Amino acid sequence: MEGGEQKDAEVIWPCDNRPALMLNHISRLGRIARQAEILQVPPIFDSCTKEISKTTERKARDLYVEAAFRRDRLKAPEREKVRKILETVSELNPFVGEPFLIKAQLLLSDGMWDLASKACHLGLARLSEWGTAWDKRMSWAAWMAWGRALRYQAQHQKWSRDGMTMVSLGTVPLQRQIFEEEEVERLKRRHKMWGAVWSSAFQSNHPVILPGTFRK
């Protein structure tokens, strides 16, 4: 939709599925809600304290489509060009998360781990505020999962260089690894208080019963 224009009915759905132009309207409604002293306003648009103009919203959206809807392989010079376009998008419209996440992917490709991690943080924060996707080529849950996979890669300073490992990012192997790491930490916390008992168990021939274990 282009702000509810009737001509949209003539477009074959879903066309290129670019983000709709509705943020100006939503941001104005948010300011009205805040001025009406409604007890709880949504966290979007910095807790409904900011507005985005129609002109700015359209310019940011069109630049985003230029940068993010391309299908060609990006070499290093092109990645930098696209990254700068996405930075402009986020300067014009800092209220949505998807541009940050696509920029994070480009930063990861160039080994810029800290900047990629920061972009992931901002992207996930904005997506969490909305609870729905702005770029509806993927669902909100898919964007969140992708952002978390990107953040994991940034934190561990690694990135895929081939198609086979790229398609498995964030899927079962990665989720299992994350689960195993979290499970180890959980078990460490669970048994921290039993440190002295563990020590005596290994130094004694007497039966010792521990949570979930049996040792003679």
Side-chain angles (χ1 to χ4, degrees), residues 96-149:
V96 293
E98 290 89 336
F100 290 109
L101 296 186
I102 295 180
K103 184 177 75 170
Q105 180 178 339
L106 298 173
L107 290 167
L108 286 169
S109 295
D110 292 328
M112 304 170 75
W113 313 116
D114 291 341
L115 290 175
S117 181
K118 181 179 179 181
C120 289
H121 173 77
L122 291 170
L124 289 168
R126 290 310 195 193
L127 280 162
S128 296
E129 290 172 358
W130 281 97
T132 188
W134 174 66
D135 182 346
K136 298 190 184 301
R137 292 178 298 165
M138 294 200 303
S139 69
W140 177 83
W143 277 112
M144 289 294 291
W146 179 235
R148 288 166 179 155

Side-chain angles (χ1 to χ4, degrees), residues 140-209:
W140 177 83
W143 277 112
M144 289 294 291
W146 179 235
R148 288 166 179 155
L150 294 176
R151 182 178 61 187
Y152 181 89
Q153 297 294 306
Q155 291 171 343
H156 289 76
Q157 298 190 2
K158 58 183 180 180
W159 184 241
S160 170
R161 297 298 175 186
D162 62 83
M164 290 303 296
T165 54
M166 175 64 74
V167 297
S168 66
L169 282 180
T171 56
V172 175
L174 177 56
Q175 293 302 322
R176 183 184 298 123
Q177 182 178 354
I178 295 173
F179 171 78
E180 289 174 352
E181 291 177 357
E182 293 176 344
E183 184 69 7
V184 167
E185 291 302 316
R186 187 184 70 81
L187 289 174
K188 283 181 180 178
R189 291 193 299 270
R190 179 184 176 189
H191 292 297
K192 185 176 181 180
M193 61 181 292
W194 296 92
V197 181
W198 277 107
S199 178
S200 64
F202 283 103
Q203 296 175 13
S204 172
N205 291 324
H206 298 290
V208 178
I209 298 176

